[in-house]
């Protein structure tokens, strides 16, 4: 199984609130086939981590991109506040960075893991 983590950094949001984000996570939890969990915290800034545990990482990553990053709303807001990582063969020791709000960050591709 693969874990994909979407970390939304609340202080980077323009108009959405932490409650808006946890409401979105709650809706996803009830509507996606993946095992979904989420947590809120503060580590030099407030965040919400959405975890998707899946056996189909391609489908899950496509769903995250379509519904959370590329959609008009909330995608525009989340794109600038979110980091998406995925576990590798060695768990978090060889994770992939799939999305980062800082566009200067080097991103990995899912194909790197599948190839």
């Amino acid at each position: 199984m693969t874990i994909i983590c979407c970390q939304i950094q609340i202080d980077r949001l323009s108009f959405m609130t932490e409650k808006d984000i946890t409401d979105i996570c709650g809706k996803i939890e009830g509507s996606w086939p993946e095992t979904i969990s989420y947590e809120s915290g503060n580590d030099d800034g407030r965040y919400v981590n959405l975890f998707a545990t899946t056996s189909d990482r391609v489908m899950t990553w496509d769903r995250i991109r379509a519904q959370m990053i590329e959609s008009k709303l909330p995608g525009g807001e989340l794109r600038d506040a979110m980091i998406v990582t995925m576990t590798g063969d060695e768990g978090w020791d060889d994770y992939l960075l799939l999305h980062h709000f800082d566009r200067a960050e080097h991103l990995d591709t899912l194909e790197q893991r599948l190839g």
Side-chain angles (χ1 to χ4, degrees):
M1 293 300 259
T2 298
I3 300 172
I4 299 177
C5 176
C6 303
Q7 181 180 79
I8 299 102
Q9 297 185 2
I10 303 303
D11 297 335
R12 296 190 58 80
L13 296 170
S14 298
F15 63 88
M16 296 178 84
T17 66
E18 185 171 342
K19 182 178 180 339
D20 294 331
I21 299 303
T22 57
D23 287 350
I24 289 170
C25 291
K27 289 176 185 170
I28 289 171
E29 185 178 36
S31 65
W32 285 12
E34 295 84 352
T35 301
I36 302 291
S37 63
Y38 60 95
E39 65 184 15
S40 299
N42 191 332
D43 184 10
D44 291 328
R46 296 174 306 139
Y47 66 86
V48 174
N49 285 338
L50 172 74
F51 298 99
T53 303
T54 182
S55 60
D56 190 339
R57 40 191 155 186
V58 173
M59 180 187 67
T60 303
W61 175 225
D62 287 347
R63 182 176 286 122
I64 289 168
R65 279 195 315 231
Q67 295 184 20
M68 298 182 73
I69 296 173
E70 296 171 356
S71 69
K72 289 187 180 189
L73 195 79
E77 179 81 344
L78 294 178
R79 187 172 29 256
D80 295 331
M82 188 162 64
I83 299 170
V84 181
T85 55
M86 180 186 82
T87 56
D89 296 332
E90 304 297 321
W92 290 112
D93 291 338
D94 65 340
Y95 71 92
L96 294 178
L97 177 62
L98 299 175
H99 173 82
H100 198 289
F101 58 80
D102 180 352
R103 286 171 178 69
E105 285 289 326
H106 171 76
L107 299 179
D108 300 306
T109 63
L110 194 53
E111 290 76 23
Q112 288 172 284
R113 185 65 62 213
L114 299 174

